[in-house]
């Protein structure tokens, strides 16, 4: 029997751990829809959200998840903290640790920052996105959304499109989806989807029509301009023309293919509003809903020792 103190990435998890987390998250999705709560599970525990990068979905859903399980939740505002006076990441974490925090949710622009903290603090550390490395709870909520809609999370053809090179969401999804026996296609210009990114079970395409043929799921990614050095695309207009998902390009995928996007979306850049807001094909709002359920499952699991 294995146990996990932290959730630093999909790397290190195994199919049993992923399946257990998705099953637990499914039960929380049903609980959330019923309007019932389970405020005894984390009563007396403290969760601190420590976000060095902006966030809407991840930070809010971790806060909701913690509160729905009864934890005391603190959102630390880095912009108004002593970080602005030069306090280091490790000193900041040690300070929070001294306040007997149980769960530390960390987002940072440096890959590996949550793993470094995990070695220094007593709390369970959850990676809420680190640089271009991983965003494990995003991949779990994407998997839960796919499983709810397709009835399985294996044997699916999933096309991940756009700025793969700078995307921690893509990296976590590639790890999870290949581990669970799906076929992953990466589609985008060579500057954003280099040929050497392909690993076992992953194919690279630079043409949307070829890449989307037969896809069950089309996952669009935002251009991560904050992580780009130099001009990697000729113009936004040209990027949209070749790689932006509109109704015509979506028609290359399976007729029942579903559209995902981790958010935040840049409409008219990587996705057209007609597709993003299509109630039949888009599952973007459901992804946000599943984000709360998945984060409840992760908090619950770690608080009980992360046993698999
Ligand atoms: N998907 C995601 O991480 O969104 P936020 O940046 O809003 O948290």
């Amino acid at each position: 029997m294995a146990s996990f103190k932290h959730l630093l990435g999909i790397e290190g998890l195994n199919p049993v751990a992923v399946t257990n987390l998705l099953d637990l998250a499914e039960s929380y999705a049903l609980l959330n829809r019923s309007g019932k709560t389970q405020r005894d599970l984390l009563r007396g525990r403290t969760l601190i959200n420590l976000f060095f990068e902006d966030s809407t979905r991840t930070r809010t859903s971790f806060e909701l998840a913690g509160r729905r399980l009864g934890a005391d939740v603190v959102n630390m505002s880095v912009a108004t903290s002593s970080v602005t006076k030069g306090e280091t990441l490790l000193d900041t974490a040690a300070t929070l640790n001294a306040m007997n925090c149980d769960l530390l949710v960390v987002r940072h622009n440096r890959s590996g920052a949550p793993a470094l903290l995990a070695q220094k603090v007593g709390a369970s550390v959850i990676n809420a996105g680190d640089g271009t490395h991983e965003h494990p709870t995003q991949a779990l909520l994407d998997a839960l959304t796919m499983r709810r809609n397709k009835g399985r999370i294996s044997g699916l053809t999933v096309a991940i499109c756009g700025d793969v090179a700078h995307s921690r969401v893509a990296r976590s999804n590639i790890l999870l989806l290949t581990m669970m026996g799906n076929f992953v296609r990466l589609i985008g210009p060579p500057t954003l989807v280099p040929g050497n990114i392909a690993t076992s079970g992953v194919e690279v395409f630079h043409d949307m029509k070829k890449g989307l043929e037969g896809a069950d799921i089309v996952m669009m990614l935002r251009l991560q301009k904050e992580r780009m050095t130099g001009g990697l695309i000729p113009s936004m207009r040209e990027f949209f023309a070749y790689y932006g998902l509109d109704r015509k390009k979506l028609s290359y995928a399976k007729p029942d293919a579903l559209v995902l996007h981790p958010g935040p979306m840049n409409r008219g850049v990587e996705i057209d509003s007609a597709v993003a807001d299509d109630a039949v094909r888009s599952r973007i709002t459901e992804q946000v809903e599943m984000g709360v359920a998945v984060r409840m499952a992760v908090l619950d699991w770690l608080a009980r020792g992360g046993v698999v």
Side-chain angles (χ1 to χ4, degrees), residues 184-188 193-199 202-207:
V184 177
R185 297 177 183 175
L186 307 177
I187 314 173
V193 186
N196 62 6
I197 210 164
T199 53
V202 178
E203 284 182 286
V204 167
F205 294 84
H206 301 304
D207 179 275

Side-chain angles (χ1 to χ4, degrees), residues 103-122:
L103 297 146
L104 189 59
V105 180
V106 182
R107 171 171 286 191
H108 203 282
N109 63 357
R110 294 294 175 113
S111 299
L116 180 67
L117 289 185
Q119 295 170 19
K120 306 284 180 189
V121 299

Side-chain angles (χ1 to χ4, degrees), residues 9 22 34 49 52 64 66 74 78 88 160 164-165 171 179 226 243 264 290 299 301:
L22 296 183
S34 76
N49 272 325
F52 290 85
L64 276 175
V74 178
V78 170
T88 65
I160 303 177
V164 174
R171 193 173 144 71
M179 184 206 301
E226 70 275 23
Y243 296 104
M290 292 308 120
L299 296 178
W301 177 62

Side-chain angles (χ1 to χ4, degrees), residues 42 47 61-73 296 299:
L42 294 184
L47 182 158
S61 58
F62 266 115
E63 181 175 355
L64 276 175
R67 288 191 197 285
R68 284 185 187 170
L69 295 176
D72 296 318
V73 181
M296 289 171 83
L299 296 178

Side-chain angles (χ1 to χ4, degrees), residues 146 150 152 155-161 177 182-187 203 205 207-220 245 249-260 281:
M146 290 181 222
K150 294 293 179 186
R152 65 192 197 281
L156 297 172
T157 298
V158 182
I160 303 177
C161 314
L177 291 167
N182 299 283
F183 308 99
V184 177
R185 297 177 183 175
L186 307 177
I187 314 173
E203 284 182 286
F205 294 84
D207 179 275
M208 285 288 268
K209 189 166 197 280
K210 288 187 187 140
L212 289 179
E213 243 168 37
D216 297 291
I217 302 287
V218 183
M219 182 185 296
M220 301 309 298
L245 189 69
K249 294 195 194 78
L250 183 57
S251 73
Y252 304 143
K254 280 188 181 168
D256 62 350
L258 297 174
V259 176
L260 303 187
R281 309 294 292 276

Side-chain angles (χ1 to χ4, degrees), residues 51 54-59 107 128 135 138 168-169 262-264 295:
F51 278 59
D54 294 340
S55 168
T56 298
R57 283 146 284 267
T58 312
R59 188 170 61 180
R107 171 171 286 191
H135 193 349
Q138 180 69 46
R168 55 200 179 202
V169 172
R295 284 155 187 144

